């Protein structure tokens, strides 16, 4: 495992991080808590993964308590990131499907949410505290930053930033966050078949000397070799909401990459190629694949050690997007800000 530093901080993180979403919710992957705990521990002990990204909303707290149960004895050896902003404490009723929960950005809620996360995590401090899917008003809020700076002074958080979403998009909000004093890093979606708006964010991150955390490197299974175009997903699986046209375009991208010899399943798997695509960017500190079993934990964790992409290989992957796939995917993947009930994508 190789490691990188979040720019402007003393947080040294593994190039491959663990997105706890996959072992703390029923939307993707692991539903057995004990299996999730085993994967979390194995990630650290066997593969050197030290960055764990979770949120208070994952499993209504399970995403944090599972880390306390699994990593509490090595707390000083790992970097824990969690998120706040969704009001899981005053829900008006039962959540409907994948609809987005109400958000609360008041200073009182932020303090309360932080204290509850600290208790669930079984720790005195949070390494990286993220606004969860903030809109522009929250990104630019002086009051939110003031509270977060106070929490830093009190030693309850070390650094803060934002996880942008839900789903793909959020270009303007991301640029604003990268340029705002105090934000150490932001988390975005980036992968071979979803290259916008990340392409606009990398130069900003480099200019502002900020880091990016990348999630969904495998485009919800399109780029890890597991997607079967004839398979129908259960309604509880968030992929069941994806347009058929988008899924088919992803299948075509994989076919072209294989034809160009970019992966062979031995020296570099398609899943490792997908991760290396984001790690090619120096502003990316860590990438968060979805770990659901021992096999993909090993495969994806070892992506840090496979031969990095050459400039020519990276350009080839960029061209797949620039020369046509972005137009094919643009219509079905329209900006989620225009949708009435956006899907909470990690």
């Amino acid at each position: 495992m190789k490691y990188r530093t979040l720019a402007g901080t003393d947080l040294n993180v593994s190039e491959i991080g663990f997105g706890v979403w996959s072992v703390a919710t029923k939307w993707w992957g692991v539903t057995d808590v004990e299996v999730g705990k085993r994967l979390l521990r194995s990630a650290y002990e066997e593969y050197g993964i030290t960055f764990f990204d979770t949120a208070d909303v994952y499993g209504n707290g399970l995403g944090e308590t599972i880390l306390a149960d699994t990593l509490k004895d090595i707390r000083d050896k790992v970097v824990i990131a969690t998120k706040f902003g969704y009001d899981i404490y005053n829900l008006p009723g039962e959540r409907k499907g994948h609809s987005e929960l109400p958000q609360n950005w008041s200073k009182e809620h932020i303090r309360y949410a932080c204290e509850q996360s600290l208790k669930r995590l079984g720790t005195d401090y949070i390494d990286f505290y993220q606004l969860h899917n903030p809109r522009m008003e929250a990104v630019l809020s002086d009051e939110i930053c003031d509270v977060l700076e106070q929490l830093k002074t009190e030693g309850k958080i070390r650094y803060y930033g934002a996880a942008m979403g839900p789903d793909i998009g959020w270009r303007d909000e991301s640029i604003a966050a990268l340029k705002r004093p105090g934000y150490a890093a932001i988390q975005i979606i980036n992968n071979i078949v979803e290259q916008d708006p990340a392409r606009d964010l990398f130069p900003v991150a480099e200019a502002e000397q900020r880091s990016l955390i990348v999630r969904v490197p495998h485009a919800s299974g399109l780029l890890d070799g597991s997607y079967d175009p004839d398979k129908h997903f259960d309604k509880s699986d968030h992929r069941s909401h994806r347009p058929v046209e988008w899924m088919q375009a992803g299948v075509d991208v994989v076919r072209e990459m294989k034809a160009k010899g970019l992966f062979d399943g031995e020296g570099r798997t398609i899943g490792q190629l997908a991760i290396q695509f984001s790690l090619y960017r120096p502003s990316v500190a860590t990438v968060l694949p979805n770990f659901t079993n021992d096999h993909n934990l090993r495969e994806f964790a070892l992506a840090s050690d496979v031969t990095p992409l050459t400039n020519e290989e990276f350009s080839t992957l960029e061209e797949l997007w620039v020369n046509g796939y972005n137009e094919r995917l643009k219509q079905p993947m329209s900006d989620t800000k225009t949708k009435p009930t956006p899907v909470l994508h990690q």
Side-chain angles (χ1 to χ4, degrees):
M1 180 64 65
K2 298 183 180 69
Y3 300 85
R4 301 185 181 188
T5 301
L6 284 184
T9 78
D10 58 356
L11 298 179
N12 197 36
V13 298
S14 50
E15 284 189 341
I16 313 301
F18 199 123
V20 182
W21 180 74
S22 63
V23 298
T25 73
K26 296 181 179 179
W27 292 4
W28 179 288
V30 180
T31 56
D32 186 322
V33 174
E34 294 307 314
V35 171
K37 291 178 180 178
R38 190 189 75 240
L39 290 173
L40 287 165
R41 190 71 187 198
S42 180
Y44 171 78
E45 292 184 344
E46 297 185 39
Y47 303 107
I49 290 176
T50 58
F51 182 72
F52 295 85
D53 175 75
T54 191
D56 55 6
V57 73
Y58 296 169
N60 283 344
L62 175 61
E64 294 176 330
T65 58
I66 195 173
L67 284 179
D69 293 342
T70 311
L71 306 176
K72 190 172 183 178
D73 63 316
I74 52 170
R75 174 66 186 93
D76 61 331
K77 296 179 172 62
V78 298
V79 175
I80 293 178
T82 191
K83 310 179 188 76
F84 68 95
Y86 287 108
D87 191 350
I88 63 174
Y89 306 100
N90 299 287
L91 296 179
E94 186 176 350
R95 186 176 190 177
K96 296 181 180 180
H98 294 179
S99 60
E100 196 172 14
L101 296 176
Q103 292 182 317
N104 187 339
W105 301 109
S106 69
K107 59 183 180 181
E108 293 80 11
H109 175 78
I110 294 172
R111 280 194 163 276
Y112 182 76
C114 183
E115 293 293 346
Q116 297 310 303
S117 287
L118 288 169
K119 290 178 182 177
R120 286 190 294 265
L121 288 165
T123 184
D124 296 327
Y125 64 94
I126 295 166
D127 295 296
F128 186 54
Y129 203 36
Q130 303 161 90
L131 286 77
H132 201 172
N133 299 342
R135 278 52 172 176
M136 186 65 81
E137 182 179 0
V139 171
L140 299 179
S141 170
D142 290 333
E143 183 176 273
I144 291 175
C145 283
D146 288 345
V147 176
L148 293 172
E149 288 294 339
Q150 291 169 15
L151 291 173
K152 279 184 66 176
T153 300
E154 295 165 14
K156 294 179 179 179
I157 66 174
R158 299 183 65 194
Y159 302 97
Y160 62 87
M164 309 310 296
D167 221 317
I168 199 72
W170 311 97
R171 173 188 180 278
D172 294 344
E173 291 83 352
S174 297
I175 291 175
L178 287 169
K179 292 184 174 183
R180 185 165 179 81
Y183 282 58
I186 68 167
Q187 184 178 147
I188 62 171
I189 291 174
N190 180 57
N191 58 66
I192 296 166
V193 297
E194 292 174 315
Q195 295 189 33
D196 287 335
R199 282 160 50 84
D200 292 339
L201 306 182
F202 294 118
V204 179
E206 292 177 19
E208 298 294 330
Q209 297 184 317
R210 305 292 174 87
S211 288
L212 298 170
I213 298 166
V214 168
R215 69 179 187 274
V216 201
H218 296 119
S220 301
L222 285 183
L223 302 176
D224 63 9
S226 68
Y227 175 61
D228 180 352
D230 297 321
K231 179 179 179 180
H232 297 285
F233 297 113
D234 183 89
K235 289 184 179 181
S236 64
D237 192 311
H238 80 281
R239 289 172 293 181
S240 65
H241 300 272
R242 293 284 189 169
V244 174
E245 297 86 355
W246 182 84
M247 304 295 276
Q248 183 57 51
V251 171
D252 294 341
V253 167
V254 172
R255 186 181 299 114
E256 286 204 36
M257 290 192 300
K258 188 169 186 178
K260 294 177 182 294
L262 293 172
F263 68 92
D264 56 18
E266 296 180 5
R268 178 197 285 154
T269 68
I270 181 175
Q272 292 168 340
L273 168 69
I275 292 170
Q276 282 288 346
F277 175 72
S278 287
L279 288 176
Y280 179 88
R281 301 282 191 174
S283 57
V284 172
T286 184
V287 177
L288 306 173
N290 285 325
F291 297 122
T292 58
N293 55 54
D294 295 304
H295 173 78
N296 59 37
L297 173 58
R298 174 178 174 77
E299 177 187 350
F300 301 158
L302 293 179
S304 177
D305 295 326
V306 301
T307 304
L309 294 182
T310 64
N311 293 340
E312 182 180 0
E313 288 174 328
F314 181 79
S315 295
T316 298
L317 294 174
E318 272 200 316
E319 288 169 6
L320 286 177
W321 177 261
V322 174
N323 294 336
Y325 279 98
N326 62 329
E327 294 301 326
R328 287 183 56 184
L329 296 170
K330 188 178 295 182
Q331 184 60 37
M333 287 300 293
S334 58
D335 194 335
T336 54
K337 287 182 287 185
T338 65
K339 297 180 180 179
T341 54
V343 174
L344 179 56
H345 201 331
Q346 283 188 286

